[in-house]
Amino acid sequence: MFDFNFGIKNLYSVGYIEQPQRGQDIVLTQLGENDELTSYPRPEQEKMIRSYWDKKNEARKKKNKIRKLQ
């Protein structure tokens, strides 16, 4: 399940799907429907994915730091 969940987040980060909601169907965006996927992920998409995960990791670090201070 981890690979699936990370894959969904990666597709969301490049704009191929709408933000996933628990218990709801995955919805493709127009970009996700029309983009050529043979070269996925392209270098610019890899940067977008990396940026998404960097932000998530930074938020997680801040959250953990706050927990340690309490």
Side-chain angles (χ1 to χ4, degrees):
M1 285 303 281
F2 286 122
D3 289 340
F4 176 80
N5 291 333
F6 283 112
I8 291 295
K9 294 290 187 178
N10 290 346
L11 291 173
Y12 169 68
S13 72
V14 297
Y16 281 173
I17 61 172
E18 293 178 3
Q19 185 168 10
Q21 301 294 323
R22 182 176 292 259
Q24 301 295 317
D25 291 336
I26 300 298
V27 180
L28 283 173
T29 63
Q30 192 170 21
L31 176 63
E33 289 181 26
N34 299 322
D35 203 14
E36 178 60 46
L37 299 178
T38 57
S39 60
Y40 175 83
R42 294 184 304 271
E44 64 271 11
Q45 291 172 322
E46 289 177 353
K47 288 179 185 177
M48 294 168 73
I49 292 168
R50 173 57 34 214
S51 175
Y52 173 84
W53 288 111
D54 287 346
K55 288 177 187 174
K56 292 292 262 185
N57 288 334
E58 190 62 35
R60 189 175 301 114
K61 286 179 188 178
K62 287 180 183 178
K63 183 178 175 182
N64 287 337
K65 186 176 182 180
I66 290 170
R67 283 185 183 168
K68 287 181 182 180
L69 294 175
Q70 294 177 345

